[in-house]
Structure formats: C-alpha cells, structure tokens
Amino acid sequence: MTEATHEEAHGGALGSRLNWLRAAVLGANDGVVSTAGLVVGVAGATDDRGTLLTAGLAGLLAGSMSMAAGEYVSVSTQRDSEKAALAQEKRELREQPEAELAELTDLLAERGLSRAVAREAAQQLTERDALRAHARVELGIDPDELTNPWHAAWASFLAFTVGALLPLLAIVLPSASWRLPVTVVSVLAALALTGLASARLGAAKARPAVLRNVLGGALAMAVTHAAGALLGAAGV
Ligand SMILES: [Zn+2]
C-alpha cells in the first residue's frame, strides 16, 4: 500500500485533502480538453481572433458553471442523504440503545478486535459520543465534516477555469500562423501533467495514465478541427 491509499483507507485529513486535490486536477483537465476542442474546432473554420476569443470565453464560462452546478447538486444530494442517515442513527440510538451497542460491537469485531475488546471499546465509544462513533464506524462519515456544496461548487468552477484559460490564451495570443501549433503543443503538455498528477494522486501507473490522457485530448482536437475545417470550407 502506498502512503496515499494508506492514509485514505483511514479516512484522515490527508485523505480528504487528496480527494479535493484529485477533484481539482480532474476539473482542470476537463477545462483544458473541452476548451481546447472548442477553440481548435472554431480555428478550423475561421482566422478571426475576436471570434476565437468569444467562442473560447463562452466555452470557459459555460463549462465552469455547468461543472459548478453539477457539483453543487451532487454534493447537496450526498449531504442530504448523510443527514438523513445521521438522523436515523440518532433515533435508533434513542429507541434501541442495546441493539445499537451490539451493532457497534459487531462492527468493531469485524475490524479485527476480539469480542471482549470490541465490547469494551464499543461501550467506551458509546459513553463518550455514541452518535459520532456510529457515524464513523457504521456510516463512514464525520458528522462535523460534511462537505459544503458551495465549497465544492466553487472549487470545480475555479479548477475548470484554470484549465480552460490555457487553450484560450494559447489560441488568442499568438499570430495566426502560430495559433494551432502553440495550442496543440501546450495542451498536450498540460494533459501529460494532469495525467501524471492524477495517476500519482490515485497511486496508479503513470505511463498509461499520461498516454490515455494525451491521446484523448489529441483525438478531441483532431475531431473538432476537422469538423470546423469542413464547415468553414463549406462556407457555413
Ligand atoms: Zn448504529
């Protein structure tokens, strides 16, 4: 087990920080790929800098807001179900404390404690803070650290925006003849980096992750550029 997965298996603060970091890298990656596909596609049809800037900026805003909204909805839903689970746990603790103590004992014993020690531990945990013990051991959540949907939404918005800025600037800043090479090279380099980072954070093999990520981005740009060039040539 690497240090990262080890920490995560224990659900420590480092584990949740790693999850945030991984989400940020994935969000930035999305921003790079979708905006690169968009601007390289439009560049297939037109040389006009204003058009490229408008398309890229619209893509950046649409993508970052859609990511933020999606994240807000999914984290809110998760938080609602965690709150409901906590409320149910609270009710069960009030109505059937003996059954709950036995349940906690079983869960601790499943984790490798002997029956006697599990029983003792369950009793101590129950005396100190029964709800927290059940939340952690049974539900795997910390009642004081439920994810805030607004934080999650802002984080996705920012991550996507940071990623999207790279292809946007790369297509707008250079002169017309340098636009495509600069954008393609910087996008593929960025995707190699985000692929490497997410492999490292997920303790996966680096080379296949980097290759998949770079090839995916290259394919996206090739397809949209071909579509843009066809439409541009047809005078649409
Ligand atoms: Zn319980």
Side-chain angles (χ1 to χ4, degrees), residues 89 92-93 99-101 103-104 107 130 134-135 138-139:
E89 205 58 44
E92 287 173 0
L93 281 166
E100 285 297 304
L101 183 62
E103 181 190 47
L104 189 56
L107 289 168
H134 280 260
E138 190 184 336
L139 308 172

Side-chain angles (χ1 to χ4, degrees), residues 7-218:
E7 273 302 326
E8 256 174 306
H10 290 262
L14 183 57
S16 76
R17 218 174 309 146
L18 275 174
N19 284 336
W20 277 94
L21 206 52
R22 192 177 306 159
V25 170
L26 289 178
N29 196 77
D30 266 1
V32 172
V33 175
S34 72
T35 310
L38 181 65
V39 294
V40 166
V42 176
T46 179
D47 276 341
D48 184 55
R49 180 172 272 137
T51 306
L52 288 167
L53 179 62
T54 307
L57 203 55
L60 180 154
L61 287 171
S64 57
M65 288 193 292
S66 141
M67 293 276 293
E71 194 65 14
Y72 182 86
V73 168
S74 101
V75 171
S76 298
T77 305
Q78 190 195 338
R79 196 170 146 119
D80 286 349
S81 64
E82 285 173 348
K83 279 183 174 165
L86 284 172
Q88 189 189 342
E89 205 58 44
K90 204 183 243 176
R91 198 165 53 240
E92 287 173 0
L93 281 166
R94 198 175 52 231
E95 289 168 1
Q96 36 184 328
E98 271 310 312
E100 285 297 304
L101 183 62
E103 181 190 47
L104 189 56
T105 305
D106 288 346
L107 289 168
L108 291 170
E110 269 168 33
R111 296 192 170 187
L113 299 181
S114 73
R115 294 300 305 179
V117 174
R119 177 85 188 170
E120 175 67 26
Q123 267 161 351
Q124 285 193 19
L125 287 169
T126 301
E127 275 165 32
R128 195 170 304 158
D129 189 339
L131 182 61
R132 177 185 299 272
H134 280 260
R136 283 209 157 143
V137 178
E138 190 184 336
L139 308 172
I141 56 181
D142 185 335
D144 297 327
E145 282 186 13
L146 301 185
T147 310
N148 182 324
W150 283 108
H151 291 174
W154 266 112
S156 321
F157 182 90
L158 280 179
F160 187 97
T161 299
V162 166
L165 277 174
L166 176 83
L168 177 59
L169 295 175
I171 205 87
V172 174
L173 293 181
S175 62
S177 53
W178 281 98
R179 246 171 224 158
L180 277 178
V182 167
T183 305
V184 169
V185 168
S186 57
V187 162
L188 295 183
L191 292 181
L193 277 180
T194 52
L196 184 65
S198 62
R200 283 280 147 77
L201 291 168
K205 279 198 182 129
R207 193 195 294 258
V210 168
L211 266 179
R212 270 195 297 268
N213 209 35
V214 169
L215 285 177

